[in-house]
Amino acid sequence: MRVTACSLAILPQWSRRSMAAVALRSCRRGLSHVLSNGGLGALSSKRLAGNGRHKSTVQYASRPDLPKLAYRRVKGKSPGVVFLPGYGSNMNGQKAEALEEFCRSLGHSYLRFDYTGHGASEGVLAEGTIGTWKKDVLFVLDELVEGPQIMVGSSIGGWLMLLAAIAKPEKTAALVGISTAADHIVTSFNSLPLETRKEFEEKGEWTMPTKYSEEGLYKFNMDFLREAENHCVLQSPIPITCPVRLIHGLKDDDVPWHISMQVAERVLSTDVDVILRRHGQHRMSEKDDIKLMVYTIDDLIDKLTTLV
């Protein structure tokens, strides 16, 4: 994706704390509806707030010979929204709950769920793989929702949304990646010095420092890494043609923002925007981060319903 003078736009201030975000977009199409119609601040605050009086209940989906998946669902109009959380996270995070309120306020369907081994779902986290969680997403798209969906993927959920969109284009209306971690586990391991990799391989386990785990690190066995290599998407063009929005923080110390740029360059879609938050961190869970996510989805819903 080329970034030129016509593809740079500073998003307007829409809160007391300046958002200081830069939207990088391809010149294959003009500036988005958000920027040409008064910016993010023009959207109704009522859409973001929701009524807060209702909350979906946890349900469990049974699958033959596979662990049950826990999910929460709000019925409503199409296109629906499906939230894919990050590794080790669950469906009860701030972004997931804010999206439920937003979709309920608009009357659009919404589903959030826990992968196998995560949250309230059955299974063991350490036994899961990228392939395991991809199957979870495909099951959700096939069995728990109706029609094309806007998939919103956070971190590793951004990787899984790409895999799901490739496998199920007919069920994919649009994609919104938050700190997208496509291929990140594999490329991080492969970027280690050869001697260090050999040490981990002999040990049979790779430990990765993180501030999001009680132990202060993630543990991945070599089988997990080898399996993950089968799902890498950044080595060739990505056959996705729906609208794609990628939001990433420049202060993300866990997943480099360059990954979102690589995804934008490789997807075949002609409708791709990358939005960089100057002070955004990995979880993108500050109030202004969540507003940006919601407003981005609001714009996509307007775009998709207008096309219909």
Side-chain angles (χ1 to χ4, degrees), residues 36 43-44 68 92 98 132 163 175 180 207 245:
S36 62
L43 288 171
S44 170
K68 291 181 180 179
N92 297 322
T132 298
L163 295 173
L175 301 177
T180 298
T207 54
R245 304 291 181 265

Side-chain angles (χ1 to χ4, degrees), residues 51-59 71-75 90-94 96-98 100-101 104 110 112:
N51 54 32
R53 290 176 296 186
H54 305 287
K55 191 173 183 179
S56 58
T57 57
V58 178
Q59 302 180 66
Y71 68 96
R72 292 176 180 268
R73 180 171 59 192
V74 174
K75 294 184 178 181
N90 59 58
M91 62 177 167
N92 297 322
Q94 291 173 291
E97 295 201 340
E100 177 168 315
E101 289 188 12
R104 190 187 297 277
Y110 176 67
R112 48 182 165 130

